[in-house]
Amino acid sequence: MLPATAKWYDRRDSVFVEFCVEDSKDVQVKFDLSKFDFSCVSGTDNIKHHNSVELFGDIDPKGSKHRRTDRSVLCCLRKAEAGKSWPRLTKDKTKCNWLSVDFNNWKDWEDDSEEDLSSFDKFSEMMNSMGGDDLPDLDGAEEEHDSADSDDEKMPDLE
């Protein structure tokens, strides 16, 4: 059996692990408090994969789930302690050559405080509540307006 190639990323309340196996069959995922096991058969060659992962932190086995697609199996591991970041997926610091960080989905959420998020939400609400009727008509900005300002003189055409 070969370990399946996987990518992972961390969120405030969950950790996501995507096993990159195409045309998977017989997918089995078993979640425990501090580890999880993944196995499947993939491709036309029926390659058997098995990964056993001792996790960095504890998870909620009942709140964790997985979803299979034609190209991969995505596992959502619900953290037992939400709000605690995981610097790595595995308990051991040793590098697993089948595992990499999913930088496309990675987000440094630790720096986002609840205060920052709530003030951003208030700002978004304020922007959404502002009507567009009060905005000036910018289409006529190039028209000459009657004004005593000397900067409003018409510029000569460029040659």
Side-chain angles (χ1 to χ4, degrees), residues 21-129:
V21 286
E22 292 187 20
D23 301 324
S24 59
K25 301 179 281 262
D26 303 328
V27 175
Q28 294 181 4
V29 182
K30 183 180 178 215
F31 299 107
D32 288 322
L33 183 65
S34 61
K35 72 176 221 164
F36 81 103
D37 289 298
F38 168 81
S39 64
C40 74
V41 176
S42 73
T44 55
D45 298 338
N46 291 326
I47 299 169
K48 293 181 181 180
H49 297 283
H50 180 260
N51 299 63
S52 185
V53 184
E54 292 283 335
L55 297 168
F56 173 80
D58 290 342
I59 61 170
D60 173 13
K62 292 184 194 265
S64 300
K65 54 190 174 232
H66 73 280
R67 185 186 69 207
R68 183 202 161 282
T69 66
D70 289 339
R71 301 193 59 111
S72 65
V73 177
L74 180 65
C75 298
C76 174
L77 311 174
R78 180 72 58 186
K79 291 180 181 179
E81 189 179 339
K84 183 179 178 192
S85 72
W86 289 19
R88 61 187 178 279
L89 178 67
T90 59
K91 183 178 183 178
D92 295 330
K93 289 185 178 183
T94 57
K95 175 145 176 55
C96 302
N97 41 347
W98 55 267
L99 182 65
S100 63
V101 174
D102 186 351
F103 287 108
N104 290 334
N105 289 309
W106 192 270
K107 180 181 176 195
D108 193 12
W109 56 264
E110 278 186 303
D111 296 339
D112 297 340
S113 69
E114 295 296 327
E115 257 178 52
D116 292 344
L117 291 175
S118 63
S119 62
F120 178 77
D121 290 340
K122 287 177 188 169
F123 177 74
S124 295
E125 278 182 69
M126 181 183 76
M127 292 302 288
N128 289 336
S129 67

